[in-house]
Amino acid sequence: MKNPLFAHLLFALAAGLPLAAAAQVPVQPAADQEALLASADPVLRANKRLVYDFWREVFEAGQVTQAEKYVAESYIQHNPNVPTGRAAMVGFISRRTPTPLPVEARIKAPLVSIVAERDTVILSFVREYPEPQDATRKYTTTWFDMFRLENGKIVEHWDGAVKPPKP
């Protein structure tokens, strides 16, 4: 380069780019959950609504008496911390929420998106964790729960859960 000032400026700019590119953009929840339920396809719209209502009523509010309305008895669980079967899922939720809560109009967890394709619905959420090098700071990432539906019921579930470390 013939202009040394320009070369130094270009180098300084390029040196700062990796740091800027590595800075996280925090995950944000959707402002309008109802809009996430929309779909031109009536089957996908119904599938989204079923999973959304299951999440609010059964999972968050602990209204396990409603589980049969949403979940097949033969429900397959891929989370390594919860056994397979509707009864096992009900037991897990009952231990987590021993006294049922009122059902909220919206999902309480910070919901990012609802995606539906064929017989599958995915809910994604904001997850916040302490920064490993500085526990006074936090960072966000995304958690997902994926459900497969059959005949108007949830028959299978996946998420990103891992087994907790031994104490």
Side-chain angles (χ1 to χ4, degrees):
M1 295 212 163
K2 294 185 179 183
N3 183 340
L5 180 60
F6 180 74
H8 287 304
L9 182 60
L10 189 60
F11 176 76
L13 203 63
L17 280 178
L19 293 176
Q24 181 200 19
V25 175
V27 180
Q28 296 294 318
D32 184 0
Q33 290 185 4
E34 282 296 318
L36 300 177
L37 294 166
S39 177
D41 182 324
V43 172
L44 297 181
R45 187 171 53 247
N47 286 352
K48 285 180 172 187
R49 174 54 75 178
L50 184 130
V51 169
Y52 185 82
D53 289 345
F54 159 78
W55 195 268
R56 290 180 314 105
E57 292 177 28
V58 179
F59 189 77
E60 285 188 339
Q63 301 278 344
V64 294
T65 58
Q66 298 300 308
E68 188 176 333
K69 177 171 137 184
Y70 297 105
V71 181
E73 189 175 347
S74 59
Y75 171 77
I76 301 166
Q77 176 61 263
H78 296 287
N79 178 318
N81 302 302
V82 183
T84 283
R86 182 176 62 214
M89 185 257 317
V90 163
F92 173 79
I93 292 171
S94 295
R95 285 187 297 282
R96 216 181 90 248
T97 311
T99 303
L101 306 169
V103 176
E104 300 288 334
R106 296 168 34 106
I107 288 178
K108 292 185 286 187
L111 183 64
V112 175
S113 68
I114 304 173
V115 177
E117 183 67 31
R118 297 179 312 277
D119 61 352
T120 305
V121 176
I122 302 169
L123 303 178
S124 60
F125 300 94
V126 177
R127 275 282 171 104
E128 187 176 80
Y129 292 102
E131 191 66 54
Q133 277 67 37
D134 181 359
T136 65
R137 296 179 56 221
K138 298 199 179 293
Y139 72 95
T140 60
T141 189
T142 309
W143 180 267
F144 78 93
D145 282 272
M146 183 166 71
F147 301 89
R148 184 173 64 82
L149 286 76
E150 200 173 89
N151 300 319
K153 301 258 183 163
I154 297 170
V155 295
E156 197 164 7
H157 169 257
W158 298 260
D159 62 22
V162 296
K163 290 182 178 181
K166 289 186 178 185

